[in-house]
Amino acid sequence: AKPSAPSPSQELPVPSYPAIESLLEATPAEDVRALFDPLKDGLAALKGPKVDAGKKAQAALTHAEQLLELLVDTRERLIAEAKGSKGRK
């Protein structure tokens, strides 16, 4: 038996990522950007048969960093826009 697909009248739940949201709201941008530095250092130090797994993890980490950087940039832009719109009428 195949699982039934949701009918068009049913709405899918909206994803929520409270841990990432609270991290971005409560942490300075420089700290968020430096979040993965210890992991990158640890992966770079791998030797032997774990090197291949480390390379895959580094690639995934690079993608995660890019996404997190996009979120940080968006947050900074929104904050700047909110501050800039207060003075205009």
Side-chain angles (χ1 to χ4, degrees), residues 8-76:
S9 63
Q10 289 178 322
E11 289 190 32
L12 296 174
V14 177
S16 174
Y17 305 97
I20 295 172
E21 184 178 3
S22 63
L23 171 75
L24 289 175
E25 288 177 355
T27 308
E30 297 79 28
D31 292 347
V32 172
R33 288 183 176 109
L35 182 67
F36 293 115
D37 289 346
L39 288 173
K40 290 190 291 187
D41 294 341
L43 290 171
L46 290 177
K47 302 216 184 292
K50 294 183 180 181
V51 171
D52 288 335
K55 287 180 183 178
K56 290 178 184 178
Q58 284 177 329
L61 192 60
T62 299
H63 292 294
E65 273 186 307
Q66 290 170 346
L67 291 172
L68 196 57
E69 182 68 27
L70 179 65
L71 290 173
V72 168
D73 290 344
T74 302
R75 178 189 73 172
E76 289 175 341

